[in-house]
Amino acid sequence: MDINSIKAQIDSEIGNINSPETLEELRVKYLGRKGLIAQLTGSIPGMPQGERAAFGQEVNALKNKITFLIDEKHMGITGNTTESPLSSVDIGLPGISQELGHLHPITQVTNEICAIFSQMGFAIVEGPEIETEYNNFTGLNIPLEHPSRDVFDTFYLKSPDSPVQLLRSHTSPVQIRVMKSRKPPLAVVVPGRVYRPDAVNVSHSFMFHQIEGFVVDENIKFSDLKGALEVFAKGIFGKKIKMRFRPHFFPFTEPSAEVDISCIICQGKGCSVCGQKGWLEILGSGMIHPNVFKNVGYDSKKYTGFAFGMGVERIAMLKYGIDDIRLFFENDLRFLKQF
Ligand code: PHE
């Protein structure tokens, strides 16, 4: 039987079929192991070399056509597509949802603060948590007799070799690193972990996070510091916030100031959160001390700059009304899921 007569035959035969059983008989006749298609395929090896490929293709096309016709007929008779693997599954059954994690609130607040300074043109730089005593203290004009250099106030690492190493107690040593390796103009923010041997309580932890910021160029003024910090405070706490600068002392800035914002709970009227003062301290700041410039090899007659440092936990606690710093580190999902 040749291909064309088989084509004509199936076309006429399939029209008369109206039960699954007769359709199955038809399928066996054409597509079965000893069916017409198998016979055609079996005749290929006996053909002249040059005709085999073309004939094989024709047989394949015919087989596909017959398969299609039979499937179509099956649908027509039973109203069903061929058995789907989904038919034995209840696809309406709700799945088991996978919970997605998210960034820790401290990471979120850090990112938010850095984004505000990025918009003002600050670069984000990181430094190591293990520092030299020089970068953490001496280079920053913190004298040997300063209480923070006491072994009870800083985690020193046992290092038989000089230089003496420690866990940095603030992010300010990154000022030294950046200034030693780059030339002004500089505008940098430095997020990172810092360590102090404090007993853990509602407001203290032996490890917490700071963000340092500093700008160095010709003609940088205290008003530039105020402007940058105002953009930051309004960005984090809202446009209505007021700021005040209180004189303070840091060895590495002169003049120095602590910065307060109007209490976000009572709007400055006085409440238990601000200790009836109406103000909340948020960071330390000042104009970079000429001795720091001298230590990094900058000309302090040519360049001026400002610096500031803030605790991220403190900012996050104020922003979200959190009253215990330990919540950040206990990893209790009931707390973390709220952010
Ligand atoms: N490093 C200071 C601290 O940890 C904060 C600070 C940074 C103050 C930069 C002034 C300038 O308390």
Side-chain angles (χ1 to χ4, degrees):
M1 220 183 223
D2 66 32
I3 290 188
N4 284 332
S5 48
I6 295 181
K7 255 188 212 163
Q9 190 181 321
I10 177 97
D11 280 338
S12 74
E13 283 184 12
I14 202 152
N16 301 325
I17 301 244
N18 48 25
S19 76
E21 293 75 24
T22 47
L23 184 63
E24 176 60 14
E25 277 166 26
L26 190 77
R27 194 190 66 74
V28 172
K29 175 174 173 191
Y30 287 90
L31 302 176
R33 214 155 47 83
K34 293 185 180 149
L36 289 172
I37 291 294
Q39 286 171 30
L40 289 177
T41 312
S43 70
I44 293 178
M47 293 176 74
Q49 266 289 25
E51 293 171 21
R52 290 182 195 168
F55 184 76
Q57 275 172 16
E58 275 188 80
V59 174
N60 247 333
L62 178 62
K63 183 180 165 190
N64 290 341
K65 182 189 152 105
I66 296 174
T67 308
F68 175 79
L69 286 175
I70 291 179
D71 282 351
E72 200 181 38
K73 190 76 191 182
H74 186 265
M75 257 192 283
I77 298 172
T78 62
N80 238 332
T81 51
T82 37
E83 186 93 340
S84 152
L86 284 182
S87 56
S88 58
V89 175
D90 179 1
I91 56 169
L93 199 68
I96 299 164
S97 67
Q98 296 290 327
E99 271 189 73
L100 270 188
H102 62 69
L103 295 176
H104 190 279
I106 291 300
T107 310
Q108 290 184 35
V109 172
T110 300
N111 290 350
E112 218 177 300
I113 296 170
C114 287
I116 293 173
F117 284 105
S118 287
Q119 281 181 340
M120 287 190 268
F122 285 68
I124 298 167
V125 172
E126 287 180 301
E129 291 165 30
I130 295 179
E131 257 301 359
T132 60
E133 188 180 35
Y134 181 86
N135 286 344
N136 199 79
F137 293 126
T138 321
L140 287 165
N141 199 39
I142 305 177
L144 255 182
E145 64 275 13
H146 193 277
S148 65
R149 292 187 69 149
D150 195 284
V151 285
F152 295 109
D153 286 302
T154 295
F155 287 113
Y156 282 86
L157 299 173
K158 269 221 171 78
S159 52
D161 334 307
S162 54
V164 175
Q165 290 192 311
L166 42 76
L167 293 181
R168 67 178 177 192
S169 58
H170 52 175
T171 41
S172 301
V174 187
Q175 287 188 38
I176 304 295
R177 288 178 173 269
V178 172
M179 287 194 246
K180 274 195 167 166
S181 60
R182 300 186 198 181
K183 296 252 160 307
L186 288 176
V188 171
V189 278
V190 184
R193 273 187 276 273
V194 302
Y195 300 84
R196 296 179 190 177
D198 286 332
V200 175
N201 60 32
V202 288
S203 56
H204 290 80
S205 166
F206 52 82
M207 185 283 295
F208 59 101
H209 298 74
Q210 284 191 331
I211 294 180
E212 188 85 6
F214 55 98
V215 168
V216 184
D217 200 357
E218 294 176 32
N219 235 346
I220 297 294
K221 300 182 289 290
F222 197 88
S223 53
D224 295 315
L225 168 67
K226 291 183 88 169
L229 289 182
E230 184 151 342
V231 171
F232 150 72
K234 293 200 161 149
I236 292 290
F237 295 111
K239 293 231 162 9
K240 289 207 187 102
I241 228 74
K242 291 197 189 66
M243 294 181 87
R244 76 175 181 187
F245 286 67
R246 265 182 301 106
H248 198 72
F249 173 79
F250 297 104
F252 36 94
T253 46
E254 180 59 35
S256 304
E258 270 189 341
V259 177
D260 300 338
I261 55 166
S262 49
C263 178
I264 49 179
I265 309 295
C266 64
Q267 276 79 38
K269 291 183 203 78
C271 68
S272 62
V273 172
C274 60
Q276 308 306 326
K277 290 197 282 282
W279 295 95
L280 299 162
E281 185 216 316
I282 56 163
L283 55 85
S285 67
M287 301 304 288
I288 297 175
H289 198 292
N291 285 351
V292 174
F293 284 146
K294 206 192 299 162
N295 293 340
V296 297
Y298 282 3
D299 180 354
S300 63
K301 298 237 160 39
K302 188 168 174 202
Y303 295 116
T304 51
F306 66 75
F308 59 85
M310 66 181 91
V312 182
E313 281 79 1
R314 171 134 182 99
I315 304 288
M317 287 168 84
L318 293 175
K319 187 175 164 71
Y320 294 115
I322 297 164
D323 58 7
D324 190 333
I325 194 173
R326 294 171 291 196
L327 288 165
F328 290 121
F329 309 121
E330 284 166 352
N331 280 339
D332 186 332
L333 286 178
R334 291 169 301 179
F335 172 75
L336 296 175
K337 275 181 178 171
Q338 296 175 51
F339 300 93

